[in-house]
Amino acid sequence: MHAIDTLDTAGLGNRSYLVAGPRTAAVVDPPRDIDRVIAAAERCGARIAYVAETHVHNDYITGGLELAHVTGARYLVPAGAQVSYERTAVADGDTIPVDDGLALEAVATPGHTPHHTTYVLRDDGRPVAAFTGGSLLIGTVGRTDLVEPRLTEQLARAQHASAHRLADRLPEDTQVLPTHGFGSFCASGPSRAADRTTVGAERRRNDALVQDVDTFVARLLAGLDDVPAYYAHMGPVNATGPPPVDLTPPKAADASGIAARLRAGEWVVDLRNRVAFAAGHVRGSYNFEGEGQLATYLAWLMPWGKPVTLLAETPGQVADAQRELARVGIDRPAAAATGEPADWVAGDDRPSGFRRAGFGALAEAVRRGDQPVVLDVRRDSEYADRALAGSVHIPIHELYGRLAEVPPGTVWTHCASGMRAATAASMLDAAGRTVVLIDDHFEAAYEAGLAVV
C-alpha cells in the first residue's frame, strides 16, 4: 500500500515526489525549499527515510542534502555522479526497501546525464510507477546537451536506449513520473499538455519510442534551444553540496536606499504585473513579474552574483519571490521594499511610466508612416518560425548586453504574449529609450493586418 504526493514547482517546470508507505517515505528530486517536503510527509504521517536524486541537476539547486541532514534519511545519489559529500551510492539494479512491501529499484538510464538513474517503485514486487527524472518525460525526453557539448550526440543515443529499456521492462499501466518537462528548459522538446502518463501511452507517442535511433538523434539535436545562463552554476553547486536555504526576510529598503543601489549599478527588480509597472515605476528598475517564470528569467538575464533588491506590493509577494529565487541559487536579496512607486522614489522624483498597446496600435502607427522600431525578444526558434516583417530580433536573454544594437527611435517591444516584452521594455526604459510595450498575443498581429513572414 502506498501513496504518492506530487510537489509542483511550476515556475521552474519541475516536480518532486514523496512516496509513502504506512510508516516511512522516500523523496525523489526534492526542491531547495525542503519545508514543503517535510510538511507533505507530516500530512501523510510518514517518516522520511530516504532521499533520492535521479541525477545531479543543472536547472535548480537541490534540497536533497539538507533534507537528508534534517531528517536523518539516507541520501541516495547515482554512483557515477562526482560529488563532494557523503552519500549512499546507488547502482543499476540496487533495491531500496522503503516500507513493508514497498521498494525502489534503481535502473540506469543515461542520456540526460551520463549517470542518470530512474527509480522504479514496486508495491509487493509489482512495478507501479517510475520516477524518471530527466529521462522519459511526457511526450519527449530530457535534453542531452547540458553536461558537455562533446557528449551531446553520444548522450542522445543513450537517451534513446534508456527510453526503450524502461518501455521494454515495465508494464503498460506503470505511471511515468518525471521531474522535468512541465515548462522546464531541461526538456528536449515541448512536453505534451498532460499531468499524467503511463508507459503504454509513451510507447505510442513518445519520439524516443516511435522513431528509430538515427531519426530521433537527428531531430533532437536539431531542436535543442537556448540554455539558461544560470545552468552553468547549478551543477557545480549541487556537486559540491548546497548550503542550507535561508528564507528569513531581507532587510528593508527605503527610497533613498533604492536610489543608492541604482546609482551603484545594482539590480532593482519590480515584481508587480506589467500593467502596474507600465503605469508607474522607479526609473532604472526592471520588471520581472512575480507570477510566471520569475526565477528562470531573472537568473538568466541578471549578471551572476549581482545584488538584487525586490520591490512588491506586499511582504507576501516578496517572500514568494525570495523562495522562488532561492531555488536557483539567488539566496539572499540585498534588500526589499513594499508598497507602491510613490513610496520608492526619493526626494522630488516622480514615478516613471511608458505606453502599453496592442498589435492593432502598431498597425496604425505603420499606416501613419511613423516608422516604429519593432523589437522581437522571443527565442531564436520562435523567431525562425514566424516574425513581423522588418522587425529587429534580439532574444530577451541577450538584450541586456546588446541594448546598443537597438536602432534609434521609439521602440515597440513584443514577444508571444507580453511578459518577456515587458521586461525588455523596462530595460530599454531604464536605458533612457522611449518605449511602447505591445501587451498582446502574437496571433493578434495577423488580425491587425501586419505582415508576418
Side-chain angles (χ1 to χ4, degrees), residues 50 74-79 85-91 94 96 119:
Y50 298 95
R74 289 176 62 188
Y75 192 25
L76 311 177
V77 178
Y85 43 80
E86 292 186 6
R87 45 80 188 264
T88 298
V90 178
D94 286 351
I96 301 97
Y119 296 94

Side-chain angles (χ1 to χ4, degrees), residues 155-165 207-208 211-213 216:
L155 289 175
R157 293 183 179 277
Q159 189 74 297
H160 186 271
S162 292
H164 280 267
R165 187 181 189 206
D207 287 349
Q211 296 173 355
D212 66 83
V213 63
F216 167 79

Side-chain angles (χ1 to χ4, degrees), residues 104-126:
L104 292 174
E105 177 193 2
V107 179
T109 48
H112 187 50
T113 66
H115 60 266
H116 191 283
T117 298
T118 290
Y119 296 94
V120 174
L121 177 65
R122 292 183 176 272
D123 195 336
D124 287 333
R126 183 178 183 278

Side-chain angles (χ1 to χ4, degrees), residues 67-395:
L67 182 61
H69 285 165
V70 168
T71 62
R74 289 176 62 188
Y75 192 25
L76 311 177
V77 178
Q82 301 298 311
V83 296
S84 302
Y85 43 80
E86 292 186 6
R87 45 80 188 264
T88 298
V90 178
D92 183 50
D94 286 351
T95 298
I96 301 97
V98 176
D99 208 329
D100 292 344
L102 203 60
L104 292 174
E105 177 193 2
V107 179
T109 48
H112 187 50
T113 66
H115 60 266
H116 191 283
T117 298
T118 290
Y119 296 94
V120 174
L121 177 65
R122 292 183 176 272
D123 195 336
D124 287 333
R126 183 178 183 278
V128 292
F131 300 100
T132 55
S135 184
L136 191 64
L137 310 184
I138 302 179
T140 186
V141 293
R143 62 193 300 166
T144 64
D145 60 333
L146 301 180
V147 176
E148 161 59 51
R150 292 170 297 179
L151 298 177
T152 300
E153 181 175 348
Q154 174 186 331
L155 289 175
R157 293 183 179 277
Q159 189 74 297
H160 186 271
S162 292
H164 280 267
R165 187 181 189 206
L166 290 174
D168 290 345
R169 69 186 293 162
L170 297 175
E172 286 217 342
D173 61 351
T174 306
Q175 289 187 78
V176 175
L177 301 174
T179 300
H180 306 310
F182 307 94
S184 168
F185 281 84
C186 273
S188 65
S191 184
R192 296 186 187 275
D195 284 335
R196 296 182 177 275
T197 191
T198 63
V199 168
E202 295 309 307
R203 282 178 181 155
R204 294 185 291 272
R205 68 186 183 187
N206 195 294
D207 287 349
L209 297 174
V210 300
Q211 296 173 355
D212 66 83
V213 63
D214 291 332
T215 301
F216 167 79
V217 170
R219 291 183 179 178
L220 183 147
L221 298 182
L224 291 174
D225 211 334
D226 301 302
V227 178
Y230 69 90
Y231 277 27
H233 304 279
M234 301 296 97
V237 171
N238 286 328
T240 57
V245 67
D246 179 4
L247 296 177
T248 57
K251 68 178 182 180
D254 59 15
S256 62
I258 293 169
R261 293 185 181 280
L262 285 168
R263 288 194 300 270
E266 298 182 11
W267 274 40
V268 175
V269 172
D270 191 323
L271 300 168
R272 296 174 302 144
N273 68 64
R274 55 187 179 266
V275 176
F277 185 88
H281 57 267
V282 177
R283 180 172 290 279
S285 62
Y286 298 138
N287 183 213
F288 289 81
E289 292 182 321
E291 295 186 3
Q293 291 183 289
L294 167 67
T296 293
Y297 282 100
L298 179 55
W300 195 346
L301 273 62
M302 188 177 72
W304 193 253
K306 178 81 75 171
V308 57
T309 293
L310 303 178
L311 307 180
E313 293 168 329
T314 68
Q317 292 167 343
V318 171
D320 289 344
Q322 184 178 355
R323 178 180 291 268
E324 187 78 7
L325 295 177
R327 294 168 180 156
V328 294
I330 303 176
D331 281 0
R332 295 296 300 161
T338 57
E340 56 187 30
D343 303 320
W344 303 331
V345 293
D348 296 329
D349 288 347
R350 293 178 178 272
S352 180
F354 51 72
R355 181 184 171 197
R356 287 173 53 250
F359 281 107
L362 174 62
E364 291 176 8
V366 170
R367 286 193 288 268
R368 287 195 305 267
D370 291 350
Q371 297 184 324
V373 177
V374 180
L375 177 64
D376 184 336
V377 298
R378 296 174 301 155
R379 296 194 300 277
D380 287 341
S381 59
E382 296 173 280
Y383 183 80
D385 180 54
R386 53 181 180 164
L388 294 182
S391 61
V392 177
H393 177 232
I394 302 177

Side-chain angles (χ1 to χ4, degrees), residues 22-42:
R23 293 175 299 279
T24 54
V27 181
V28 180
D29 289 343
R32 180 97 186 271
D33 44 333
I34 63 170
D35 55 333
R36 300 165 59 203
V37 184
I38 293 171
E42 289 176 348

